[in-house]
Amino acid sequence: MADMKTLKETLLSGGYDSVLKEVYLYDDCLAQQRKRYADVIDSFINLFGADRIGGLYSAPGRTEIGGNHTDHNHGRVLAAGIDLDAIAVASKNTDHTVRVKSEGYRMDVVDLSDLSVQEKETGHSAALVRGVCARFQQLGYRIGGFDATTASRVPAKIQELGHKVGGFDAWATSSVLSGSGLSSSAAYEVLVGNIVNHFFCEGALTPIQIAKIGQYAENVYFGKPCGLLDQMASSVSGFVMIDFKDPSAPVIEKVDFDFASCGHSLCIVDTGGNHSDLTEEYAAVRGEMEAVAAEFQKPVLREVEEETFRQGIPTLRNRVGDRAILRALHFYCENKRVIEEVEALRSGDFETFKEKVIESGQSSFMYNQNVYTPRLPKEQPIALALQLTEQMLRGKGAWRVHGGGFAGTIQAFVPNDCLAEYQAEMERIFGVNTCYVLSVRPVGGVQIAEE
């Protein structure tokens, strides 16, 4: 256990370097990460004081490699954690409240005596904090501990349930771009989930359980009907194929593959725009797929045989519309394509893998139709970035829409001998520091230093 001053001294003297290297991989990253965490500690001290005992935490963003918009209909995905992450220093308190101050944002304050859904928090990060804490409590895990002062103002009903409710204070910052398709919200949920897990559950919950808690918070409290891909890739990390056929027990397979060995770099290009006002578009993708499934008395497309669906297309057109059918066709093809991508990687056939990446992007554009929103037809930065990338990398690399789509980012696998030229051209069009060259992070949500 360490107070904030000791925590910082140990950090800067290299006391946590072994963990930092496991997370960030490269020795030349250590000095930068030490400073980054030290700055977070200083910010915590300025806000909450130096006489606190605390720990350090991290949760990565993620990149979706295959399986665009399949998870919410219980399909397969191929994803990886990345080296952009959300980090925090946190310390327990005894005043029945969770406070999380994120750099550049207002403090999220959640009174743990009322963990019901708050409509005014919908779409805001406080909803994620409240939802994570609520789900821990619903699952029977204890959060904190009563003291005489706290117990006097905790409702008797909660005390009768045996839930110990304390709280914690945290100061956080993130290198995961908001609205970038790299899942900054999932990183935040996994970050908060790991703090609660280590503070109040003795680390008993698995990364899979923490991912599910994050999804619950985003679905029920934040108001976004996302699948489980983002949280699972952040919480588990590395290259992973996830099969959500049974979302209560997803099958997770590690895929051992080193992209660097193939002479390519993984780039994410931020084309601009923000996901925050696109909830209806995301919901429509899921909703239309599920509307097709409902025509066969099933809740999701994974439970409908593809041939049965194809035979029903003539009737479906009048009942659900052509776009829903196209999105269902995308689901079936993309779900099989994930297996093909994984097989290509495991066999070392990177050229076939790139072909499948391009096919995925074409399917998303033409059939899933999540490259731009019809509400803003003049704003199509993703489509522009894809066309420019195709011109530069045709016959050499691969490209696709990344993440939820409609705004935000594209993904490209760029031959290293083209990387400087590609990065320069993307940043000429979309602005400085918009083309990110990423590493795949082998560690998911993690405690860097114990409280």
Side-chain angles (χ1 to χ4, degrees):
M1 300 176 70
D3 59 32
M4 291 297 160
K5 181 179 179 181
T6 304
L7 188 68
K8 181 179 177 181
E9 290 174 349
T10 304
L11 171 74
L12 292 177
S13 65
Y16 303 124
D17 277 7
S18 60
V19 181
L20 292 174
K21 187 172 181 180
E22 182 181 359
V23 172
Y24 300 104
L25 295 178
Y26 303 112
D27 288 334
D28 57 4
C29 294
L30 294 182
Q32 175 189 356
Q33 293 300 336
R34 285 191 216 105
K35 181 180 186 305
R36 186 170 172 236
Y37 281 93
D39 289 345
V40 167
I41 294 171
D42 286 340
S43 296
F44 181 96
I45 290 171
N46 291 336
L47 185 61
F48 297 111
D51 59 343
R52 301 284 293 273
I53 295 172
L56 300 173
Y57 299 85
S58 166
R62 69 98 179 103
T63 181
E64 169 203 279
I65 296 170
N68 192 238
H69 279 281
T70 56
D71 61 320
H72 48 59
N73 266 252
H74 299 186
R76 302 182 187 95
V77 297
L78 176 62
I82 59 173
D83 57 346
L84 303 179
D85 62 345
I87 66 172
V89 59
S91 176
K92 292 180 186 177
N93 65 43
T94 58
D95 61 3
H96 199 53
T97 302
V98 170
R99 303 178 190 85
V100 183
K101 176 66 174 74
S102 295
E103 184 178 13
Y105 296 90
R106 289 168 40 180
M107 185 185 298
D108 294 329
V109 180
V110 173
D111 185 340
L112 294 174
S113 65
D114 181 7
L115 292 179
S116 62
V117 176
Q118 306 291 311
E119 289 188 10
K120 65 183 179 181
E121 291 179 350
T122 299
H124 298 284
S125 56
L128 301 177
V129 177
R130 191 181 302 274
V132 167
C133 293
R135 191 58 177 161
F136 270 93
Q137 181 167 290
Q138 292 165 12
L139 294 173
Y141 294 97
R142 296 178 173 185
I143 303 177
F146 295 127
D147 59 19
T149 302
T150 305
S152 66
R153 63 187 186 89
V154 174
K157 183 177 180 180
I158 292 180
Q159 295 189 47
E160 290 168 4
L161 290 173
H163 294 297
K164 293 183 177 180
V165 187
F168 63 88
D169 300 316
W171 206 98
T173 189
S174 179
S175 59
V176 186
L177 300 172
S178 179
S180 66
L182 298 173
S183 298
S184 57
S185 59
Y188 189 67
E189 294 152 17
V190 171
L191 184 72
V192 173
N194 272 273
I195 293 171
V196 174
N197 188 31
H198 285 284
F199 275 179
F200 307 125
C201 307
E202 298 181 347
L205 278 75
T206 66
I208 292 174
Q209 289 173 304
I210 291 174
K212 291 179 180 178
I213 288 171
Q215 183 203 22
Y216 173 86
E218 191 153 346
N219 287 176
V220 178
Y221 281 71
F222 188 82
K224 181 178 178 180
C226 66
L228 189 54
L229 162 63
D230 296 351
Q231 294 82 3
M232 194 67 75
S234 175
S235 195
V236 175
S237 210
F239 291 109
V240 290
M241 181 179 70
I242 310 168
D243 190 334
F244 293 108
K245 185 174 183 179
D246 178 0
S248 66
V251 177
I252 301 171
E253 297 183 26
K254 288 281 188 178
V255 181
D256 293 325
F257 188 84
D258 179 10
F259 278 106
S261 68
C262 289
H264 288 68
S265 293
L266 170 60
C267 292
I268 298 295
V269 180
D270 182 8
T271 69
N274 193 290
H275 287 186
S276 61
D277 61 347
L278 294 170
T279 298
E280 290 185 10
E281 277 82 353
Y282 299 135
V285 174
R286 177 175 182 170
E288 289 178 13
M289 289 183 182
E290 292 176 352
V292 172
E295 292 295 318
F296 300 93
Q297 291 75 55
K298 299 294 184 180
V300 292
L301 285 175
R302 187 65 180 275
E303 297 184 19
V304 180
E305 292 294 331
E306 182 179 355
E307 183 57 31
T308 301
F309 155 72
R310 288 182 179 274
Q311 289 297 320
I313 288 177
T315 302
L316 288 170
R317 292 188 65 198
N318 291 328
R319 297 180 65 86
V320 299
D322 289 341
R323 189 174 72 170
I325 294 170
L326 288 168
R327 284 173 165 168
L329 287 166
H330 165 80
F331 171 87
Y332 287 111
C333 293
E334 188 78 347
N335 199 42
K336 290 183 288 188
R337 193 176 292 116
V338 168
I339 296 294
E340 295 168 347
E341 289 177 335
V342 170
E343 289 175 349
L345 290 176
R346 285 178 169 162
S347 66
D349 187 354
F350 195 64
E351 293 306 308
T352 296
F353 168 78
K354 289 190 294 183
E355 291 174 5
K356 297 303 173 182
V357 169
I358 294 171
E359 288 179 13
S360 173
Q362 291 173 335
S363 182
S364 293
F365 202 149
M366 293 187 292
Y367 308 130
N368 201 43
Q369 299 181 29
N370 64 318
V371 167
Y372 66 92
T373 172
R375 292 190 292 108
L376 301 169
K378 293 184 178 181
E379 297 180 17
Q380 300 189 33
I382 288 179
L384 177 61
L386 289 171
Q387 203 281 336
L388 294 170
T389 299
E390 180 179 2
Q391 284 189 333
M392 295 187 70
L393 301 183
R394 186 186 294 117
K396 296 182 289 186
W399 53 92
R400 68 194 284 273
V401 64
H402 179 255
F406 298 108
T409 58
I410 71 163
Q411 178 186 78
F413 295 95
V414 183
N416 289 336
D417 58 4
C418 303
L419 181 59
E421 180 186 3
Y422 178 77
Q423 189 171 23
E425 179 64 4
M426 290 298 104
E427 296 194 350
R428 184 181 74 86
I429 302 296
F430 297 103
V432 177
N433 297 325
T434 55
C435 182
Y436 296 87
V437 183
L438 303 179
S439 296
V440 173
R441 169 171 155 162
V443 178
V446 65
Q447 183 184 53
I448 300 292
E450 295 184 5
E451 182 201 25

